């Protein structure tokens, strides 16, 4: 991993993992300024993301799940943080019915 965690990824982590409310009309730079104004250390967020994603990114991963979110990795950089999808519930084998032939 080149070590890059984009401003967008830091913003989305703050919103989605830390549940910080940020006005959607703000640019990423404006959103980060608003987060910092709340006394939150942006470098701590960036390092948290980097610490979880550096090794998987070096191994070619395109995503990493941690802290209830999913980091999206592109070309070795964390470019966004999205919500993890809930697990798909599938019927157990005994709930399937076999066709009648």
């Amino acid at each position: 991993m080149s070590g890059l965690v984009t401003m967008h990824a830091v913003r989305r982590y703050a919103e989605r993992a830390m549940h910080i409310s940020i006005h959607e009309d703000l640019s990423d730079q404006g959103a980060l300024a608003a987060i910092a104004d709340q006394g939150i250390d942006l470098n701590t967020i960036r390092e948290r993301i980097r610490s979880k994603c550096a090794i998987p990114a070096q191994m070619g991963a395109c995503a990493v799940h941690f802290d209830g979110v999913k980091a999206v990795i592109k070309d070795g950089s964390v470019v966004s943080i999205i919500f993890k999808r809930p697990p798909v519930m599938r019927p157990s084998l005994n709930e399937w019915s076999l066709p009648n032939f």
Side-chain angles (χ1 to χ4, degrees):
M1 180 171 166
S2 66
L4 179 65
V5 177
T6 64
M7 288 191 298
H8 183 74
V10 173
R11 173 193 185 150
R12 294 304 184 198
Y13 182 87
E15 290 175 330
R16 295 174 177 159
M18 300 173 69
H19 308 288
I20 297 172
S21 181
I22 303 166
H23 198 278
E24 279 296 319
D25 289 342
L26 290 175
S27 67
D28 289 336
Q29 188 172 4
L32 294 184
I35 294 166
D37 287 346
Q38 295 181 41
I40 298 167
D41 184 13
L42 299 176
N43 287 327
T44 300
I45 296 173
R46 190 173 284 108
E47 285 305 313
R48 174 73 178 165
I49 297 168
R50 185 177 290 128
S51 72
K52 295 294 184 178
C53 298
I55 292 173
Q58 288 173 355
M59 297 176 72
C62 60
V64 177
H65 295 257
F66 68 101
D67 295 345
V69 294
K70 177 176 161 182
V72 179
I73 301 169
K74 184 172 182 181
D75 297 329
S77 297
V78 181
V79 296
S80 192
I81 302 288
I82 61 177
F83 286 116
K84 289 190 334 185
R85 278 192 273 163
V88 176
M89 300 304 291
R90 294 189 175 98
S92 65
L93 289 176
N94 48 352
E95 291 178 12
W96 289 98
S97 59
L98 297 174
N100 294 325
F101 293 105

